[in-house]
Amino acid sequence: MASGTFPPFSPSRDSFLNHLYPTATPHPNVQVDVTCGPLLNFKNMDVTPSSSIWYGSVLIVTLPGQPQPRLCLRQAGPVASPLPTSTSSSTTQGVVIDGLRLFEDPKKAFWRFSLTLPLENYEARWEYSIPGLRSPDGPQVHPPWDFVVPSRSQSMRLMFHSCNGFSVGTDMNTWVGPNLWNDVLRVHDRKPFHVMIGGGDQIYNDGIRVDGPLKEWTSIANPHKRRAHGFDNDLRARCDDYYFANYVRWYTTQPFQAANGRIPQINIWDDHDIIDGFGSYTDHFMRCSVFRGIGGVAFKYYCLFQHHIAPPKSTYTTDAPQTMHAVNGTAGADPRQLADTFVLEDQTEDRSWIVGKRPGPYVEEKSRNIYMRLGKRIAFIGVDARTERTRHQVNYPDTYDLIFSRLEHEVATAHGDIKHLVVLLGVPIAYPRLAWLENILSSPIIAPIRLLNKRFGFAGGFFNQFDGQVDLLDDLDDHYTARQHKRERRLFIQRLQDFAKAHSVRVTILGGDVHLAAIGRFYANPKLGIHSENDPRYIVNVVSSAITNKPPPKAVANLLARRNKIHHLDPDTDETLMDIFDQQPGGVEKSASWNKVTMPSRNYACITEVETPLANGDAAAHTDPLPIPKNGHSPLHKGESTAGSSHSAADGFSNTSGMYGGLDVAIRVEVSPQNRDGAAHGYGFSIPPLSYIPSEADTRRQSRSRSLRSPSPQESRPQQVRPQTAVH
């Protein structure tokens, strides 16, 4: 194939695309002034025995008043072929897609290009360009961007990251930018990722209270005045400008910008996408107008930048009462916010959404959970653990019901293909307990220090600027292992175990937030005598955080490692962290030499299915299992026994472990934050497929557990603030 030429279409692909995208050509001599983008998203797949269709989108942000942009899309052939070197797509080959305007006001416009592609019998590279694209400060020619989709028979290759930004006060001379994205792009060039999964905090908006429009409000000393402060249209507009400018600044920062245009994204938000601790402060403070207001503004730009969908027509303001309570599941319309503004209406909801039944307690919007098919054999659930969050709940009970109902439907119609379920949570769920620290920070001994803080500013950094509580408490209350979330956590894991039992599907959980890497796992109590290959309770929690933010000090990582006890979720399920960090990354000391379970260094994860050459994907029976260990401080199966730097998956792109039908996982760890190339050290392990046949006893036990699975709506309501006391 000549460099830069478009390969011949197969008849089926040609007819499919021409039917979907009527013949069109780019506007001649049109210039489009772009301020951000392109941003590439994955939306979903249709997978049937006869065909597979890939859905995605591209977003650009332009100055207002621009002509309708068009995107040129063409297939560049199999991934094994050389990448074309042409600097522009031909206007006579491939297809041309009109941009759809999602939102426009006097300062900016958002345009989405929807992509629908047939999968081939080979892993294919696609190329796109947007003719006439230029930056507003002068002419700029953009080369075409490329991305890769799996073949019909492949599962997707996943990259997982979280905490992609910097906390307020970070020393930027030490943590010199999002360098680890350079390693992401290097691994992607060796073996392309089909999707990158953002586990929350894709952007840090905390600066709004330091050098943004909430600085004056944050400085109000009297907590009652702070809570009673209004959120009028002027403050809303200034917050709106801040969130938009911060998104543009961060999403145009290299090398993150380069990854945005080449690797399709799936995202779920967390607190820093709004503001630090949102949802986990005391209920009476979370209900204040300023927090509800910025919750609405943050949701607007989360919809646009991270999901490529039109935002609500208006967001919460105290001088427009119709916006202060949800109307038909969203904030009511404010004519002032709609002046000289276009918002796309009557959208068909994306099929990937699992939308909550009612708005969250502090955001006038419904939660948006995600179901997607990630290629042939992997299903994916992204849990929106922020919209419905309070200090006493993560999600409403009926939201869990919606999620599991969708899973049951999808598995029932998947023709037996789904072998893995990947679940995305904002925070880890198999993680060391810190109940002793919670008890100290919420005990009466803190009261005298809090009084001195209010009157004299004593220990100012120890208390947060919002509700006056100890600053660490919002982080601790975010954890599933916090005392108030323990029942919800147990019921959720048990429902996942029931799902694994019923369908012989291996469940793996992704979690971020904590700024270090670890591998937690749930597993059958050894007394049951069940090998991991046959154990539906064996659920790995890949903890990867942060790809950009600074890690905690060594002492914190070592303390967590010392708290790595054997815990009992229930009489049949144990949990603990796995030994994987057998070496310090690149020989640079990050933690104590004895600490094999927590790694305080910037990191991300790679997950690849080990494709099986055997019939029906049943390879477990062909591998002799390890003897059942005494407890989870020892390897539970062969994929764990070889975990560490020497595992074949550690390089981030190999999937040659031989654990056929399972997953090879790598944690890629930054060696030095001063290295702008993002040099990384890899650690690998494998997750076996599940081979399980449900028994009648399992079915009866599952039926009983489901009848007890969720607290009533009354139990899950946000509780009124009450005196803080230690709980034992």
Side-chain angles (χ1 to χ4, degrees), residues 68-141:
Q68 182 186 37
R70 285 181 166 174
L71 179 144
C72 298
L73 175 70
R74 64 180 197 155
Q75 196 195 101
V79 167
S81 300
L83 185 65
T85 58
S86 62
T87 57
S88 63
S89 290
S90 168
T91 59
T92 59
Q93 300 176 95
V95 293
V96 177
I97 303 169
D98 289 333
L100 176 67
R101 186 173 51 150
L102 301 177
F103 177 88
E104 182 170 354
D105 67 15
K107 297 180 181 179
K108 68 270 187 184
F110 289 78
W111 299 87
R112 182 184 74 207
F113 306 92
S114 295
L115 313 181
T116 302
L117 311 176
L119 297 191
E120 308 281 3
N121 291 325
Y122 54 84
E123 186 179 18
R125 190 183 305 275
W126 289 78
E127 183 184 87
Y128 69 96
S129 65
I130 304 169
L133 210 61
R134 67 179 184 183
S135 60
D137 55 0
Q140 185 174 347
V141 176

Side-chain angles (χ1 to χ4, degrees), residues 128-179:
Y128 69 96
S129 65
I130 304 169
L133 210 61
R134 67 179 184 183
S135 60
D137 55 0
Q140 185 174 347
V141 176
H142 290 268
W145 294 267
D146 67 276
F147 62 96
V148 171
V149 299
S151 72
R152 291 190 184 115
S153 62
Q154 277 184 301
S155 297
M156 287 191 179
R157 188 165 128 73
L158 316 178
M159 175 266 185
F160 168 57
H161 67 93
S162 67
C163 301
N164 180 39
F166 292 105
S167 298
V168 170
T170 300
D171 181 2
M172 299 306 295
N173 292 320
T174 300
W175 308 96
V176 288
N179 301 337

